[in-house]
């Protein structure tokens, strides 16, 4: 698991997920064991297990159902692994994904954006349609351990 630090969001369950911008240097410490990358084009190989969600900057995921499955996987893995969520700048797409993980963790969808802005970054979830995506985010079947 991550230690609390720059970009690390502690969900209400205690799970830790690191959000970051790929344009920024890799933070010091242990690398992730699982990453979710939210980009318009396929990312490079990172050296750890990862998923790519096709998601152009300032937009929404190209396949929302796939994004939901990946978010569920990231949420599950965060219980015992170092999970990273990242996009180019680390605010809009990353904040939106982190807010969806907060919903999966039990934060009401109507409060998830405020939760991420308070605990991750004050400008997370940049566009009205990203906020609407979080508000309408339906958690997949709950198979939590």
């Amino acid at each position: 698991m991550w230690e609390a630090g720059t970009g690390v969001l502690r969900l209400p369950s205690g799970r830790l997920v690191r959000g970051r911008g790929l344009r920024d240097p890799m933070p010091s410490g242990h690398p992730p064991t699982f990453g979710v990358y939210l980009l318009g084009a396929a990312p490079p190989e990172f050296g750890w297990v990862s998923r790519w969600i096709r998601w152009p900057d300032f937009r929404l995921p190209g396949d929302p159902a796939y994004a939901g499955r990946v978010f569920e996987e990231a949420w599950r893995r965060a219980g015992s692994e170092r999970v990273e969520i990242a996009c180019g700048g680390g605010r809009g797409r990353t904040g939106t994904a982190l807010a969806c993980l907060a919903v999966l963790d039990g934060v009401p969808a109507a409060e998830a954006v405020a939760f991420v802005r308070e605990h991750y970054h004050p400008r997370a979830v940049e566009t009205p349609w990203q906020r609407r995506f979080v508000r309408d985010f339906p958690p997949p079947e709950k198979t939590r351990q």
Side-chain angles (χ1 to χ4, degrees), residues 22-120:
L22 293 172
R23 290 190 292 264
D24 298 330
M26 172 70 90
S28 62
H30 297 291
T33 55
F34 180 74
V36 177
Y37 301 100
L38 317 164
L39 300 165
E45 180 60 43
F46 288 101
W48 48 82
V49 177
S50 66
R51 304 285 179 264
W52 167 47
I53 297 174
R54 184 182 302 274
W55 192 334
D57 202 7
F58 297 107
R59 310 246 176 169
L60 295 175
D63 184 342
Y66 173 70
R69 290 190 302 274
V70 171
F71 296 159
E72 175 75 18
E73 180 181 8
W75 180 86
R76 267 192 258 114
R77 286 176 175 261
S80 61
E81 298 180 45
R82 292 184 307 274
V83 174
E84 169 176 87
I85 309 287
C87 65
R91 303 290 182 267
R93 293 168 286 180
T94 296
T96 302
L98 290 172
C100 290
L101 265 63
V103 171
L104 291 170
D105 204 61
V107 174
E111 299 170 20
V113 171
F115 175 84
V116 170
R117 286 179 174 171
E118 179 180 348
H119 298 286
Y120 171 67

Side-chain angles (χ1 to χ4, degrees), residues 1 6 18 24 31 41 43 49 71 74 76 78 99 109 126 131 138 142:
M1 299 246 321
T6 303
R18 181 175 73 193
D24 298 330
V49 177
F71 296 159
R76 267 192 258 114
E126 294 173 318
R131 289 190 296 276
K142 302 215 177 180

